[in-house]
Coordinates of all heavy atoms in Angstrom, one line a residue:
M260 N 14.6 -46.4 109.9 CA 13.5 -45.5 109.6 C 12.3 -45.9 110.5 O 12.1 -47.0 110.8 CB 13.0 -45.7 108.2 CG 12.1 -44.6 107.6 SD 11.5 -44.7 106.0 CE 12.7 -44.7 104.9
S261 N 11.6 -44.8 111.0 CA 10.6 -45.1 112.1 C 9.3 -45.5 111.4 O 9.2 -45.4 110.1 CB 10.3 -43.9 113.0 OG 9.7 -42.8 112.2
K262 N 8.4 -46.1 112.2 CA 7.1 -46.4 111.5 C 6.3 -45.3 111.1 O 5.6 -45.3 110.1 CB 6.3 -47.2 112.7 CG 6.5 -48.6 112.8 CD 6.0 -49.3 111.5 CE 5.8 -50.7 111.7 NZ 5.6 -51.4 110.4
W263 N 6.4 -44.1 111.9 CA 5.7 -42.9 111.4 C 6.2 -42.5 110.1 O 5.3 -42.1 109.2 CB 5.9 -41.7 112.4 CG 5.5 -40.5 112.0 CD1 6.3 -39.3 111.6 CD2 4.2 -40.1 111.4 NE1 5.5 -38.4 111.1 CE2 4.2 -38.9 110.9 CE3 2.9 -40.8 111.5 CZ2 3.0 -38.1 110.5 CZ3 1.8 -40.1 110.9 CH2 1.8 -38.8 110.5
T264 N 7.4 -42.5 109.8 CA 8.0 -42.1 108.5 C 7.5 -43.0 107.4 O 7.0 -42.5 106.3 CB 9.5 -42.1 108.5 OG1 10.0 -41.4 109.6 CG2 10.1 -41.6 107.3
E265 N 7.4 -44.3 107.7 CA 6.8 -45.2 106.7 C 5.3 -44.9 106.3 O 4.9 -44.9 105.2 CB 7.0 -46.7 107.1 CG 8.5 -47.1 107.1 CD 8.6 -48.5 107.7 OE1 7.6 -49.2 107.8 OE2 9.8 -48.8 108.1
V266 N 4.6 -44.7 107.5 CA 3.2 -44.4 107.3 C 3.0 -43.1 106.5 O 2.2 -43.0 105.6 CB 2.5 -44.2 108.7 CG1 1.1 -43.8 108.5 CG2 2.4 -45.8 109.3
R267 N 3.7 -42.0 106.9 CA 3.7 -40.7 106.2 C 4.1 -40.8 104.8 O 3.2 -40.4 103.9 CB 4.5 -39.8 106.8 CG 4.4 -38.2 106.2 CD 5.6 -37.5 106.5 NE 7.0 -38.1 106.0 CZ 8.1 -37.9 106.4 NH1 8.3 -37.2 107.4 NH2 9.1 -38.5 105.8
D268 N 5.1 -41.5 104.4 CA 5.5 -41.6 103.1 C 4.5 -42.5 102.2 O 4.2 -42.2 101.1 CB 6.9 -42.3 102.9 CG 8.0 -41.4 103.5 OD1 7.8 -40.3 103.7 OD2 9.1 -42.0 103.8
G269 N 3.9 -43.5 102.8 CA 2.8 -44.2 102.2 C 1.7 -43.4 102.0 O 1.0 -43.6 100.8
M270 N 1.3 -42.6 103.0 CA 0.1 -41.7 102.7 C 0.4 -40.7 101.6 O -0.5 -40.5 100.7 CB -0.3 -41.1 104.0 CG -0.9 -41.9 105.0 SD -1.2 -41.3 106.6 CE -1.9 -39.7 106.3
L271 N 1.5 -40.2 101.6 CA 1.9 -39.2 100.6 C 1.9 -39.7 99.2 O 1.6 -39.2 98.1 CB 3.3 -38.5 100.9 CG 3.1 -37.5 102.0 CD1 4.6 -37.0 102.3 CD2 2.2 -36.3 101.7
A272 N 2.3 -41.1 99.1 CA 2.4 -41.7 97.9 C 1.1 -42.1 97.4 O 0.8 -42.1 96.2 CB 3.3 -43.0 98.0
A273 N 0.2 -42.4 98.3 CA -1.3 -42.7 97.9 C -2.1 -41.5 97.4 O -2.9 -41.7 96.5 CB -2.0 -43.3 99.1
L274 N -1.7 -40.4 98.0 CA -2.4 -39.1 97.7 C -1.4 -38.3 96.8 O -0.3 -38.2 97.1 CB -2.7 -38.2 98.9 CG -3.8 -38.7 99.8 CD1 -3.8 -37.9 101.0 CD2 -5.1 -38.6 99.1
D275 N -2.0 -37.8 95.7 CA -1.3 -36.9 94.8 C -1.5 -35.4 95.5 O -2.5 -34.9 95.3 CB -1.6 -37.0 93.4 CG -0.8 -36.1 92.6 OD1 0.1 -35.5 93.0 OD2 -1.2 -36.0 91.3
A276 N -0.6 -34.9 96.2 CA -0.7 -33.8 96.9 C -1.1 -32.5 95.9 O -1.9 -31.8 96.3 CB 0.6 -33.4 97.6
S277 N -0.6 -32.5 94.8 CA -1.1 -31.4 93.9 C -2.5 -31.5 93.6 O -3.1 -30.4 93.4 CB -0.2 -31.5 92.6 OG -0.4 -32.7 91.8
D278 N -3.0 -32.7 93.4 CA -4.5 -32.8 93.1 C -5.2 -32.3 94.3 O -6.5 -31.5 94.2 CB -4.9 -34.1 92.8 CG -4.5 -34.7 91.4 OD1 -4.1 -33.7 90.6 OD2 -4.4 -35.8 91.2
V279 N -4.9 -32.6 95.5 CA -5.5 -32.1 96.8 C -5.5 -30.6 96.9 O -6.6 -30.0 97.2 CB -4.9 -32.8 98.0 CG1 -5.7 -32.3 99.2 CG2 -5.2 -34.3 98.0
V280 N -4.4 -30.1 96.6 CA -4.1 -28.6 96.7 C -5.2 -28.1 95.7 O -5.8 -26.9 95.9 CB -2.7 -28.2 96.6 CG1 -2.6 -26.7 96.5 CG2 -2.0 -28.6 97.8
E281 N -5.1 -28.5 94.4 CA -5.7 -27.7 93.3 C -7.3 -28.0 93.6 O -8.1 -27.0 93.5 CB -5.5 -28.5 92.0 CG -6.2 -27.9 90.8 CD -5.7 -26.4 90.6 OE1 -4.6 -26.1 91.0 OE2 -6.6 -25.6 90.2
S282 N -7.8 -29.0 94.2 CA -9.1 -29.2 94.5 C -9.6 -28.3 95.5 O -10.6 -27.7 95.5 CB -9.3 -30.6 94.9 OG -10.7 -30.9 95.5
A283 N -8.7 -28.1 96.7 CA -9.0 -27.2 97.8 C -9.1 -25.6 97.1 O -10.0 -25.0 97.6 CB -7.9 -27.3 98.8
K284 N -8.2 -25.4 96.4 CA -8.2 -23.9 95.7 C -9.5 -23.8 95.0 O -10.1 -22.7 95.1 CB -7.0 -23.9 94.8 CG -5.6 -23.6 95.6 CD -4.6 -23.2 94.6 CE -4.4 -24.1 93.5 NZ -3.2 -23.7 92.5
Q285 N -9.9 -24.6 94.2 CA -11.0 -24.6 93.3 C -12.3 -24.5 94.2 O -13.2 -23.8 94.1 CB -11.2 -25.7 92.3 CG -10.1 -25.5 91.1 CD -10.1 -24.4 90.6 OE1 -11.1 -23.7 90.3 NE2 -8.9 -23.9 90.2
Q286 N -12.3 -25.2 95.3 CA -13.4 -25.2 96.2 C -13.6 -23.9 96.9 O -14.6 -23.4 97.1 CB -13.3 -26.4 97.3 CG -14.5 -26.7 98.0 CD -14.3 -28.0 98.8 OE1 -13.2 -28.3 99.2 NE2 -15.4 -28.6 99.1
I287 N -12.5 -23.3 97.3 CA -12.5 -22.0 98.0 C -12.9 -20.9 97.1 O -13.8 -20.1 97.3 CB -11.0 -21.6 98.5 CG1 -10.7 -22.5 99.7 CG2 -10.9 -20.2 98.9 CD1 -9.4 -22.6 100.2
I288 N -12.4 -20.9 95.8 CA -12.9 -20.0 94.7 C -14.3 -20.0 94.4 O -15.1 -19.1 94.4 CB -12.1 -20.1 93.5 CG1 -10.6 -19.9 93.7 CG2 -12.6 -19.4 92.3 CD1 -10.3 -18.3 94.0
E289 N -14.8 -21.4 94.4 CA -16.3 -21.6 94.1 C -17.2 -21.1 95.3 O -18.1 -20.3 95.2 CB -16.5 -23.0 94.1 CG -18.0 -23.4 93.7 CD -18.5 -23.0 92.3 OE1 -17.7 -22.9 91.5 OE2 -19.7 -22.8 92.3
S290 N -16.7 -21.4 96.6 CA -17.4 -20.8 97.8 C -17.4 -19.4 97.8 O -18.5 -18.7 98.1 CB -16.9 -21.4 99.1 OG -16.9 -22.8 99.1
L291 N -16.3 -18.7 97.5 CA -16.2 -17.2 97.5 C -17.1 -16.6 96.4 O -17.7 -15.6 96.6 CB -14.8 -16.8 97.4 CG -13.8 -16.9 98.5 CD1 -12.3 -16.6 98.1 CD2 -14.3 -16.1 99.6
S292 N -17.1 -17.3 95.2 CA -17.9 -16.8 94.1 C -19.5 -16.9 94.3 O -20.2 -16.1 93.8 CB -17.5 -17.6 92.9 OG -16.3 -17.5 92.5
T293 N -19.8 -17.8 95.1 CA -21.3 -18.0 95.4 C -21.7 -17.4 96.7 O -22.2 -16.3 96.7 CB -21.6 -19.5 95.4 OG1 -21.0 -20.1 96.1 CG2 -21.5 -20.1 93.9
E294 N -21.4 -18.1 97.8 CA -22.1 -17.7 99.1 C -21.3 -16.2 99.5 O -21.8 -15.5 100.2 CB -21.7 -18.8 100.1 CG -22.6 -19.9 100.0 CD -21.8 -21.1 99.3 OE1 -20.5 -21.1 99.6 OE2 -22.4 -21.9 98.6
G295 N -20.0 -16.3 99.4 CA -19.2 -15.1 99.9 C -19.8 -13.9 99.0 O -19.8 -12.8 99.7
M296 N -19.8 -13.9 97.7 CA -20.3 -12.7 97.0 C -21.6 -12.3 97.3 O -21.9 -11.1 97.3 CB -20.0 -12.9 95.5 CG -18.6 -12.8 95.1 SD -17.7 -11.4 95.7 CE -18.6 -10.1 94.9
T297 N -22.5 -13.3 97.5 CA -23.9 -13.0 97.9 C -24.0 -12.2 99.2 O -24.7 -11.2 99.2 CB -24.7 -14.3 98.0 OG1 -24.6 -15.0 96.8 CG2 -26.3 -14.1 98.2
A298 N -23.3 -12.6 100.2 CA -23.3 -12.0 101.5 C -22.6 -10.5 101.3 O -23.1 -9.6 101.9 CB -22.5 -12.8 102.4
L299 N -21.5 -10.3 100.6 CA -20.8 -9.1 100.4 C -21.8 -8.1 99.7 O -21.9 -6.9 100.0 CB -19.5 -9.3 99.7 CG -18.7 -8.1 99.5 CD1 -18.2 -7.6 100.8 CD2 -17.4 -8.5 98.6
E300 N -22.5 -8.6 98.6 CA -23.4 -7.8 97.9 C -24.5 -7.3 98.7 O -24.9 -6.1 98.6 CB -23.9 -8.6 96.6 CG -22.7 -8.7 95.6 CD -23.4 -9.5 94.4 OE1 -24.1 -10.5 94.6 OE2 -22.8 -9.2 93.3
S301 N -25.0 -8.1 99.6 CA -26.2 -7.7 100.4 C -25.9 -6.7 101.4 O -26.4 -5.7 101.6 CB -26.9 -8.9 101.0 OG -26.0 -9.4 102.0
V302 N -24.6 -6.8 102.0 CA -24.1 -5.8 102.8 C -23.7 -4.5 102.2 O -24.1 -3.4 102.6 CB -22.8 -6.3 103.7 CG1 -22.2 -5.2 104.4 CG2 -23.2 -7.5 104.6
A303 N -23.1 -4.6 101.0 CA -22.9 -3.4 100.1 C -24.2 -2.7 99.8 O -24.0 -1.5 99.9 CB -22.0 -3.8 99.1
D304 N -25.1 -3.3 99.3 CA -26.3 -2.8 98.8 C -27.0 -2.0 100.1 O -27.4 -0.9 99.8 CB -27.3 -3.9 98.4 CG -26.9 -4.4 96.9 OD1 -26.1 -3.7 96.4 OD2 -27.4 -5.4 96.6
K305 N -27.1 -2.6 101.1 CA -27.6 -1.9 102.3 C -26.8 -0.6 102.7 O -27.4 0.3 102.9 CB -27.6 -2.9 103.5 CG -28.3 -2.3 104.6 CD -28.6 -3.3 105.8 CE -29.3 -2.7 106.9 NZ -29.6 -3.6 108.0
F306 N -25.6 -0.7 102.7 CA -24.6 0.3 102.9 C -24.9 1.5 102.0 O -25.0 2.7 102.3 CB -23.2 0.0 103.0 CG -22.2 1.1 103.4 CD1 -22.2 1.5 104.7 CD2 -21.5 1.7 102.4 CE1 -21.3 2.6 105.0 CE2 -20.7 2.7 102.6 CZ -20.5 3.1 104.0
V307 N -24.9 1.1 100.7 CA -25.0 2.1 99.6 C -26.4 3.0 99.8 O -26.4 4.1 99.7 CB -24.9 1.4 98.2 CG1 -25.2 2.4 97.1 CG2 -23.4 1.1 98.0
T308 N -27.4 2.1 100.0 CA -28.7 2.6 100.2 C -28.8 3.6 101.4 O -29.2 4.8 101.2 CB -29.8 1.6 100.5 OG1 -29.7 0.6 99.4 CG2 -31.3 2.1 100.7
Q309 N -28.1 3.3 102.5 CA -28.2 4.3 103.6 C -27.3 5.4 103.4 O -27.5 6.6 103.7 CB -27.6 3.5 104.8 CG -28.5 2.4 105.3 CD -28.0 1.6 106.5 OE1 -26.8 1.8 106.8 NE2 -28.8 1.0 107.2
V310 N -26.2 5.3 102.7 CA -25.3 6.4 102.3 C -26.0 7.3 101.4 O -26.0 8.6 101.5 CB -23.9 6.0 101.8 CG1 -23.2 7.1 101.1 CG2 -23.1 5.4 102.8
Q311 N -26.6 6.9 100.3 CA -27.4 7.7 99.4 C -28.6 8.4 100.1 O -28.9 9.4 99.7 CB -27.8 6.9 98.2 CG -26.7 6.5 97.3 CD -27.2 5.8 96.0 OE1 -28.1 4.9 96.2 NE2 -26.5 5.9 95.0
A312 N -29.2 7.8 101.0 CA -30.3 8.4 101.8 C -29.7 9.5 102.5 O -30.4 10.7 102.8 CB -31.0 7.4 102.7
H313 N -28.6 9.3 103.1 CA -28.0 10.3 104.0 C -27.5 11.6 103.2 O -27.3 12.7 103.6 CB -26.7 9.7 104.9 CG -26.2 10.6 105.8 ND1 -25.0 11.2 105.7 CD2 -26.6 11.1 107.0 CE1 -24.7 12.0 106.7 NE2 -25.7 11.9 107.6
A314 N -27.3 11.3 101.9 CA -26.8 12.4 100.9 C -27.8 13.5 100.9 O -27.5 14.7 100.7 CB -26.6 11.8 99.6
A315 N -29.2 13.3 101.1 CA -30.1 14.3 101.1 C -29.9 15.4 102.1 O -30.4 16.5 101.9 CB -31.6 13.7 101.2
S316 N -29.3 15.0 103.1 CA -29.0 16.1 104.3 C -27.8 16.6 104.2 O -27.3 17.5 105.0 CB -29.3 15.3 105.6 OG -28.4 14.3 105.9
E317 N -27.0 16.4 103.3 CA -25.6 16.9 102.9 C -25.6 18.0 102.0 O -26.6 17.9 101.2 CB -24.6 15.8 102.6 CG -24.2 14.8 103.6 CD -23.5 15.1 104.8 OE1 -23.0 16.1 104.8 OE2 -23.6 14.4 105.8
T318 N -24.5 18.7 102.0 CA -24.5 19.8 100.9 C -23.0 19.9 100.4 O -22.2 19.2 101.0 CB -24.8 21.1 101.5 OG1 -23.8 21.4 102.6 CG2 -26.2 21.2 102.0
G319 N -22.8 20.3 99.1 CA -21.5 20.4 98.6 C -20.8 19.0 98.3 O -21.6 18.2 97.9
W320 N -19.6 19.0 98.7 CA -18.8 17.8 98.4 C -19.3 16.6 99.0 O -19.3 15.6 98.6 CB -17.3 18.1 98.8 CG -16.6 16.8 98.7 CD1 -16.1 16.1 99.9 CD2 -16.3 15.9 97.7 NE1 -15.6 14.8 99.5 CE2 -15.6 14.7 98.1 CE3 -16.5 16.0 96.4 CZ2 -15.2 13.7 97.4 CZ3 -16.1 14.8 95.5 CH2 -15.5 13.8 96.1
N321 N -19.8 16.8 100.3 CA -20.3 15.7 101.0 C -21.6 15.0 100.3 O -21.8 13.7 100.4 CB -20.6 16.0 102.3 CG -19.4 16.3 103.3 OD1 -18.3 15.8 102.9 ND2 -19.6 17.0 104.3
A322 N -22.4 15.9 99.8 CA -23.5 15.3 99.1 C -23.1 14.5 97.8 O -23.6 13.5 97.5 CB -24.5 16.4 98.7
I323 N -22.2 15.0 97.1 CA -21.6 14.5 95.9 C -20.9 13.1 96.3 O -21.2 12.1 95.7 CB -20.6 15.3 95.1 CG1 -21.3 16.5 94.6 CG2 -20.0 14.5 94.0 CD1 -20.6 17.6 94.0
R324 N -20.2 13.1 97.3 CA -19.5 11.9 97.8 C -20.5 10.8 98.3 O -20.4 9.8 97.8 CB -18.6 12.3 99.1 CG -17.9 11.1 99.8 CD -17.6 11.4 101.2 NE -18.7 11.6 102.0 CZ -18.7 12.2 103.1 NH1 -17.6 12.6 103.7 NH2 -20.0 12.4 103.9
D325 N -21.5 11.2 99.0 CA -22.4 10.2 99.4 C -23.4 9.6 98.3 O -23.8 8.5 98.2 CB -23.3 10.8 100.6 CG -22.5 11.0 101.8 OD1 -21.4 10.6 101.8 OD2 -23.0 11.5 102.8
K326 N -23.8 10.6 97.4 CA -24.8 10.2 96.3 C -24.0 9.4 95.2 O -24.7 8.5 94.8 CB -25.4 11.5 95.9 CG -26.5 11.2 94.9 CD -27.7 10.7 95.5 CE -28.9 10.5 94.6 NZ -30.0 9.8 95.2
F327 N -22.8 9.8 94.9 CA -22.2 9.2 93.7 C -20.8 8.4 93.9 O -20.6 7.4 93.4 CB -21.9 10.3 92.6 CG -23.2 11.0 92.2 CD1 -23.4 12.3 92.6 CD2 -24.1 10.3 91.4 CE1 -24.7 12.9 92.2 CE2 -25.4 10.9 91.0 CZ -25.5 12.3 91.4
V328 N -20.0 9.2 94.6 CA -18.5 8.7 94.8 C -18.5 7.3 95.4 O -17.9 6.4 95.0 CB -17.5 9.7 95.4 CG1 -16.2 9.1 95.5 CG2 -17.5 11.0 94.4
L329 N -19.0 7.3 96.7 CA -18.9 6.1 97.6 C -19.7 4.9 96.8 O -19.2 3.8 96.8 CB -19.4 6.4 99.0 CG -18.4 7.2 99.9 CD1 -19.1 7.5 101.1 CD2 -17.2 6.3 100.0
P330 N -20.9 5.2 96.4 CA -21.6 4.1 95.8 C -21.0 3.5 94.6 O -20.8 2.2 94.3 CB -23.0 4.6 95.4 CG -23.2 5.6 96.4 CD -21.9 6.2 96.5
L331 N -20.2 4.4 93.6 CA -19.5 4.0 92.4 C -18.2 3.2 92.9 O -18.0 2.1 92.3 CB -19.1 5.1 91.6 CG -20.3 5.7 90.7 CD1 -19.9 6.9 90.1 CD2 -20.7 4.6 89.8
L332 N -17.6 3.6 94.1 CA -16.4 3.0 94.5 C -16.7 1.6 95.0 O -16.1 0.6 94.7 CB -15.8 3.8 95.5 CG -14.5 3.3 96.2 CD1 -13.4 3.2 95.1 CD2 -14.1 4.3 97.2
I333 N -17.7 1.5 95.8 CA -18.1 0.2 96.5 C -18.7 -0.8 95.4 O -18.2 -1.9 95.3 CB -19.2 0.4 97.5 CG1 -18.6 1.2 98.7 CG2 -19.9 -1.0 97.9 CD1 -19.7 1.7 99.7
N334 N -19.5 -0.4 94.4 CA -20.0 -1.2 93.4 C -18.8 -1.6 92.4 O -18.9 -2.8 91.9 CB -21.2 -0.6 92.7 CG -22.4 -0.5 93.5 OD1 -22.6 -1.4 94.3 ND2 -23.2 0.5 93.4
G335 N -18.0 -0.6 92.1 CA -16.8 -0.9 91.3 C -15.8 -2.0 91.8 O -15.4 -2.9 91.2
T336 N -15.7 -1.8 93.1 CA -14.9 -2.8 93.9 C -15.5 -4.3 93.8 O -14.8 -5.3 93.6 CB -14.6 -2.5 95.4 OG1 -13.9 -1.1 95.3 CG2 -13.8 -3.4 96.1
I337 N -16.7 -4.4 94.1 CA -17.5 -5.6 94.1 C -17.4 -6.1 92.6 O -17.2 -7.4 92.5 CB -19.0 -5.5 94.5 CG1 -18.9 -5.2 96.0 CG2 -19.6 -6.6 94.1 CD1 -20.2 -4.9 96.7
W338 N -17.6 -5.3 91.6 CA -17.5 -5.8 90.2 C -16.0 -6.5 89.9 O -15.9 -7.5 89.4 CB -17.7 -4.7 89.4 CG -17.6 -5.2 87.8 CD1 -18.5 -5.8 87.1 CD2 -16.4 -5.1 87.0 NE1 -17.9 -6.1 85.8 CE2 -16.7 -5.6 85.9 CE3 -15.1 -4.5 87.4 CZ2 -15.7 -5.7 84.9 CZ3 -14.1 -4.6 86.4 CH2 -14.4 -5.1 85.1
A339 N -15.0 -5.8 90.5 CA -13.6 -6.2 90.2 C -13.4 -7.4 91.0 O -12.7 -8.3 90.4 CB -12.6 -5.1 90.8
I340 N -13.9 -7.6 92.1 CA -13.7 -8.9 92.9 C -14.4 -10.0 92.2 O -13.8 -11.1 92.0 CB -14.2 -8.8 94.4 CG1 -13.4 -7.8 95.2 CG2 -14.3 -10.2 95.0 CD1 -14.0 -7.5 96.5
K341 N -15.6 -9.9 91.7 CA -16.3 -10.9 91.0 C -15.5 -11.1 89.6 O -15.6 -12.4 89.2 CB -17.7 -10.3 90.6 CG -18.7 -10.4 91.8 CD -20.0 -9.6 91.4 CE -20.9 -10.5 90.8 NZ -22.2 -9.9 90.6
F342 N -14.9 -10.2 88.9 CA -14.3 -10.5 87.8 C -13.0 -11.2 88.1 O -12.7 -12.3 87.3 CB -13.8 -9.0 87.1 CG -13.0 -9.2 86.0 CD1 -13.8 -9.5 84.7 CD2 -11.7 -9.0 85.9 CE1 -13.0 -9.6 83.5 CE2 -11.0 -9.1 84.7 CZ -11.6 -9.4 83.5
V343 N -12.3 -10.9 89.0 CA -11.1 -11.7 89.5 C -11.5 -13.2 89.9 O -10.9 -14.0 89.4 CB -10.3 -11.1 90.5 CG1 -9.3 -12.0 91.1 CG2 -9.7 -9.7 90.0
L344 N -12.6 -13.3 90.6 CA -13.0 -14.7 90.9 C -13.4 -15.5 89.7 O -13.1 -16.7 89.7 CB -14.0 -14.6 91.9 CG -13.7 -14.3 93.3 CD1 -14.9 -14.0 94.2 CD2 -12.7 -15.2 93.9
S345 N -14.0 -14.7 88.8 CA -14.5 -15.5 87.6 C -13.4 -15.9 86.7 O -13.4 -17.0 86.1 CB -15.5 -14.7 86.7 OG -14.8 -13.6 86.1
K346 N -12.3 -15.1 86.8 CA -11.1 -15.4 85.9 C -10.3 -16.5 86.7 O -9.5 -17.2 86.0 CB -10.3 -14.2 85.6 CG -10.9 -13.3 84.8 CD -11.2 -13.8 83.3 CE -11.8 -12.8 82.5 NZ -12.1 -13.4 81.1
S347 N -10.4 -16.6 88.0 CA -9.7 -17.5 88.8 C -10.3 -18.9 88.7 O -9.6 -20.0 89.1 CB -9.6 -17.2 90.2 OG -9.0 -16.0 90.3
T348 N -11.6 -19.2 88.1 CA -12.2 -20.5 88.1 C -11.5 -21.1 86.9 O -11.4 -20.6 85.8 CB -13.7 -20.3 88.0 OG1 -14.2 -19.4 88.9 CG2 -14.3 -21.5 87.9
S349 N -11.2 -22.4 87.0 CA -10.5 -23.2 86.0 C -11.5 -23.4 84.9 O -12.8 -23.5 85.2 CB -9.9 -24.5 86.5 OG -11.1 -25.4 86.8
N350 N -11.2 -23.8 83.8 CA -12.1 -24.2 82.7 C -12.7 -25.4 82.9 O -14.0 -25.5 82.5 CB -11.2 -24.3 81.3 CG -10.7 -23.0 80.8 OD1 -11.4 -21.9 81.0 ND2 -9.6 -23.0 80.0
E351 N -12.1 -26.4 83.5 CA -12.8 -27.6 83.9 C -14.0 -27.4 84.8 O -15.2 -27.9 84.7 CB -11.8 -28.6 84.5 CG -12.4 -29.8 85.0 CD -11.5 -30.7 85.6 OE1 -10.3 -30.8 85.2 OE2 -11.9 -31.4 86.6
Q352 N -13.9 -26.5 85.8 CA -14.9 -26.2 86.7 C -16.0 -25.3 86.1 O -17.2 -25.5 86.3 CB -14.3 -25.4 87.9 CG -15.3 -25.1 89.0 CD -14.7 -24.5 90.2 OE1 -13.5 -23.9 90.1 NE2 -15.3 -24.6 91.3
K353 N -15.7 -24.5 85.1 CA -16.7 -23.9 84.2 C -17.6 -24.8 83.5 O -18.8 -24.6 83.3 CB -16.2 -22.9 83.4 CG -15.5 -21.6 84.1 CD -14.9 -20.7 83.1 CE -14.2 -19.5 83.8 NZ -13.5 -18.6 83.0
M354 N -16.9 -25.8 83.0 CA -17.6 -26.8 82.1 C -18.6 -27.6 83.0 O -19.6 -28.1 82.5 CB -16.6 -27.7 81.5 CG -15.7 -27.0 80.4 SD -14.7 -28.1 79.6 CE -15.8 -28.8 78.4
H355 N -18.3 -27.8 84.2 CA -19.1 -28.6 85.2 C -20.4 -27.8 85.5 O -21.5 -28.4 85.8 CB -18.4 -29.0 86.4 CG -17.4 -30.1 86.2 ND1 -17.7 -31.3 85.9 CD2 -16.0 -30.1 86.3 CE1 -16.7 -32.1 85.7 NE2 -15.7 -31.4 86.0
R356 N -20.3 -26.5 85.5 CA -21.4 -25.7 86.0 C -22.4 -25.6 84.7 O -23.6 -25.4 85.0 CB -20.9 -24.3 86.2 CG -20.6 -24.2 87.6 CD -20.4 -22.6 88.0 NE -19.1 -22.5 88.4 CZ -18.5 -21.2 88.4 NH1 -19.1 -20.2 87.8 NH2 -17.2 -21.1 88.7
V357 N -22.0 -25.8 83.5 CA -23.0 -25.6 82.4 C -23.8 -26.8 82.2 O -23.9 -27.7 82.8 CB -22.1 -25.5 81.1 CG1 -23.1 -25.4 79.9 CG2 -21.2 -24.3 81.2

């Protein structure tokens, strides 16, 4: 057996790989839930405001689309993403936030 194999096996034995993976997953979910959603919401809010302002110059279906359909679709998608992220957070992590 080579020295590298011994070193690798020793490192894997010292680290519980499942703990590292779980920790990384929770950290990614936490980052997406906070900074990621804040950035996404600010972009979506600006876009929705511009689309709704543009609706005043539209008529028919395009006015309805710009005033109601697109804003509802965008805000609904953001809500769904936030819902999924909140359900993806472990109970232990939720307890640490309280």
Side-chain angles (χ1 to χ4, degrees):
M260 196 185 288
S261 72
K262 273 294 201 192
W263 167 247
T264 306
E265 290 175 20
V266 171
R267 182 199 64 203
D268 291 345
M270 287 173 43
L271 287 176
L274 289 174
D275 184 5
S277 63
D278 287 343
V279 172
V280 170
E281 185 62 31
S282 173
K284 288 191 303 186
Q285 293 304 325
Q286 194 171 26
I287 289 170
I288 295 294
E289 180 68 25
S290 293
L291 286 174
S292 297
T293 55
E294 296 99 26
M296 285 309 299
T297 302
L299 183 61
E300 286 175 328
S301 66
V302 169
D304 288 343
K305 185 174 181 177
F306 181 76
V307 165
T308 301
Q309 290 176 350
V310 167
Q311 286 181 328
H313 190 253
S316 64
E317 297 286 348
T318 59
W320 165 249
N321 290 340
I323 294 169
R324 176 198 65 195
D325 290 352
K326 188 70 174 172
F327 301 108
V328 176
L329 286 176
L331 285 172
L332 183 63
I333 291 167
N334 290 325
T336 302
I337 288 175
W338 177 86
I340 292 169
K341 288 171 76 173
F342 181 77
V343 168
L344 287 174
S345 73
K346 294 298 181 182
S347 299
T348 306
S349 72
N350 288 335
E351 179 181 316
Q352 192 173 14
K353 287 179 185 175
M354 293 180 79
H355 287 295
R356 276 196 240 154
V357 175

